[in-house]
Every structure is written in structure tokens, then in C-alpha cells.
């Protein structure tokens, strides 16, 4: 009996201690000042969340004040376009062909810039930084002054989808232009025709211009145009609509969008499908222009050619 009473007393003490501890952990009664402070914090938190949402929206639309300042300091006059001609270490003869046909050289290149159009060969750096490949490009650029070298990009065939991110991101930071154009070095361009097309589109935001296409996703490794991420395209294995990679155009705010979100943009096996996937996530205006198709012949139609391949 004494043992039972002792155990009951011990249990009561234990329960009392637990109740006391629980009471100490309960929130104290808030004063009016405390309540106002809490309400003020909640209001501030709400405004911070709204500001963050506005900032995210602004970034998604390509607005970034620091970039605008950099661009304005680089070029006082807003350009019509920056045309990047993709080239590689083994493409010297292709570059010479372009220089001998449609691409201006020397003083003619400077006069073209005075008209608001910048044209540059675009190339990255060698995997072995500073080797003979890099030196030859530096020497060629010293003579011709027509390169745009992507210092942070490793030039390689398998890195082309990443190169397109580097190009648009770096170009929009260096030049303030209405349009940014990606061109391959194996095509012959009617430069005046392209400039006319760009002038016609002047003032149009969110423009994604090119020869729009879609097609089969190749899922068999070893075949031409193999896509390692083929399984992401569903049972039909068909690419979404996108501009052909030989020549396509982005307006400034879309180029800025790529720059702002570069780290999180997924690349696929090819640069044209990669850009097409990024455009699906924004309110881009798709402009399918037959003049930007190879030879401009499609669906039995013939229009004035911008380039031939």
C-alpha cells in the first residue's frame, strides 16, 4: 500500500512538471504593440513577396538595368542588329569564302557598323587554352578584326547548344541592338535582303524569326541527329516547332531572357531545338519567314532568297 502511494505521488510530481513545462512553452499574451508589430511584419512580408514576383516577371521579359547600362556605355547609338556567324577552328576556308562574298571587310565592315549592323565570326576557346588553335584565331583576328571570341566557351562540335547561350548572353551585354542573329558559316547571305527584313521588323518585341520546322526525334544512338533526351518528347517522338539553325533571329528582350536565365536553361543535342525549347516558355511571337529557308523553296512557293546553302 505504501509502495502504491509512493508511486502515485511520483506520477503526480512528474505530471506537474510536464504541465509546468508546457505552460512555459505556450505563447505569452500579446500586447497591442506586439500585435501591431506582427501585423506590420506580415504586411512587409507581403510587399517583399510582391516585389520578388515583379522582379521575376521583369527578368523573364528580359529587363535588366545593369545590362542596359553596359550596353549603352559600349555603344551610344542603338544598333539594328548584331549578326553572329558561327565558325570553328578548322573553318578558315569557309571564313575566307564569306569574306570574299557577302561579308564586308576592313573599312566596309566599319561603314556597315555606322549603318547599325555589326557582323562578327563567333568562336570559343580551345580546350587547351592558349594552344596553337587559340593563337591562330588571335593572329587572324589581329589582321581582320572581325571575330567575336567567347572567352568562357570551349569550342567543340558537341558544345554547340551551349555556344548559342554564350553567344546571345554575351552579345546582349556588349551591344545594344534591336535584333541578334545567329548564322552558320557555310551559307551565302544576301546581306542587304537580311537588313531589309530586319528594318521591316524594327520595334517588334519578342520576335522569334526563322524558317520554322519540326521533325522526328532520332532515338537510335549512332545515327545522324541522335537526341540523347529522345524519351522526353513523348510517344510520337517529334520535335516542337522551332527555327532552323542555319539562320534565325531573336529580338533584344528574348536575347536578354537567355542571358538572365542562362544557368537554368536546358540544352538539347542541337542549338536550334535548344533555342526552340526556351522560346516555348515565354510569350515569343513565332514568325515563319520563307525567305529564311534554304533556297527559299518550300511547299511549292518561291520568294526572294535571303540565303542559299
Amino acid at each position: 500500500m505504501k509502495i502504491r502511494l509512493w508511486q502515485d505521488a511520483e506520477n503526480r510530481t512528474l505530471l506537474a512538471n510536464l504541465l509546468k513545462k508546457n505552460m512555459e512553452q505556450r505563447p505569452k499574451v500579446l500586447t497591442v504593440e506586439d500585435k501591431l508589430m506582427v501585423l506590420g511584419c506580415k504586411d512587409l512580408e507581403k510587399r517583399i513577396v510582391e516585389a520578388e514576383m515583379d522582379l521575376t516577371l521583369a527578368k523573364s521579359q528580359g529587363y535588366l538595368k545593369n545590362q542596359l547600362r553596359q550596353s549603352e556605355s559600349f555603344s551610344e547609338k542603338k544598333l539594328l542588329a548584331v549578326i553572329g556567324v558561327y565558325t570553328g577552328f578548322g573553318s578558315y576556308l569557309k571564313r575566307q569564302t564569306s569574306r570574299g562574298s557577302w561579308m564586308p571587310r576592313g573599312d566596309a565592315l566599319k561603314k556597315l557598323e555606322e549603318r547599325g549592323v555589326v557582323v562578327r565570326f563567333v568562336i570559343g576557346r580551345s580546350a587547351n587554352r592558349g594552344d596553337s588553335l587559340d593563337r591562330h584565331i588571335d593572329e587572324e583576328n589581329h589582321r581582320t578584326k572581325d571575330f567575336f571570341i567567347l572567352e568562357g566557351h570551349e569550342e567543340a562540335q558537341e558544345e554547340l547548344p551551349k555556344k548559342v547561350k554564350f553567344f546571345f548572353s554575351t552579345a546582349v551585354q556588349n551591344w545594344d541592338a534591336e535584333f541578334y542573329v545567329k548564322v552558320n558559316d557555310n551559307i551565302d547571305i544576301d546581306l542587304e535582303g537580311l537588313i531589309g527584313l530586319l528594318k521591316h521588323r524594327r520595334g517588334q518585341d519578342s520576335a522569334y524569326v526563322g524558317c520554322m520546322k519540326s521533325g522526328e526525334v532520332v532515338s537510335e544512338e549512332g545515327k545522324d541527329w541522335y537526341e540523347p533526351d529522345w524519351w522526353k518528347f513523348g510517344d510520337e517522338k517529334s520535335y516542337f516547332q522551332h527555327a532552323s539553325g542555319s539562320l534565325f533571329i531573336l529580338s533584344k528582350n528574348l536575347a536578354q531572357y537567355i542571358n538572365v536565365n542562362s544557368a537554368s536553361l536546358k540544352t538539347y543535342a542541337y542549338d536550334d531545338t535548344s533555342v526552340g525549347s526556351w522560346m516555348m516558355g515565354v510569350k515569343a511571337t513565332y514568325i515563319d519567314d520563307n525567305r529564311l529557308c534554304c533556297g527559299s523553296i518550300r511547299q511549292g512557293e518561291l520568294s526572294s532568297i535571303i540565303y542559299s546553302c
Side-chain angles (χ1 to χ4, degrees), residues 18-67:
L18 289 172
L19 287 170
K20 182 179 179 182
K21 185 177 180 180
N22 186 48
M23 289 294 292
E24 289 174 350
Q25 291 177 347
R26 291 178 62 185
K28 297 178 181 178
V29 177
L30 296 176
T31 65
V32 174
E33 289 78 7
D34 291 333
K35 290 179 179 178
L36 289 173
M37 186 179 293
V38 170
L39 290 173
C41 288
K42 286 184 178 179
D43 181 61
L44 180 61
E45 182 182 10
K46 181 181 178 183
R47 282 184 285 169
I48 290 172
V49 170
E50 290 174 349
E52 288 176 341
M53 291 174 67
D54 289 340
L55 180 60
T56 301
L57 178 61
K59 285 183 176 181
S60 71
Q61 294 175 344
Y63 298 105
L64 200 61
K65 290 184 178 179
N66 289 339
Q67 289 176 325

Side-chain angles (χ1 to χ4, degrees), residues 62-118:
Y63 298 105
L64 200 61
K65 290 184 178 179
N66 289 339
Q67 289 176 325
L68 292 176
R69 291 195 193 101
Q70 290 171 4
S71 299
E72 288 165 0
S73 64
F74 187 91
S75 174
E76 294 180 3
K77 180 183 176 183
K78 187 164 186 174
L79 300 167
L80 173 64
V82 174
I83 302 174
V85 185
Y86 273 33
T87 191
F89 293 120
S91 299
Y92 176 75
L93 292 179
K94 290 180 181 178
R95 291 193 292 274
Q96 286 296 86
T97 300
S98 296
R99 292 182 183 118
S101 56
W102 67 269
M103 186 170 172
R105 292 180 289 180
D107 291 339
L109 193 64
K110 292 179 181 178
K111 288 180 180 179
L112 183 65
E113 291 180 19
E114 291 173 3
R115 294 174 56 192
V117 178
V118 171

Side-chain angles (χ1 to χ4, degrees), residues 164-172 180-182 248 250 255 258:
V164 79
K165 284 203 292 186
F166 271 94
F167 166 60
F168 285 113
S169 296
T170 314
V172 81
Y180 298 83
V181 185
K182 182 261 177 177
F248 63 86
L250 296 182
I258 293 173

Side-chain angles (χ1 to χ4, degrees), residues 51 101 218 269 285 296 308:
S101 56
V218 178
T285 301
S296 77
S308 56

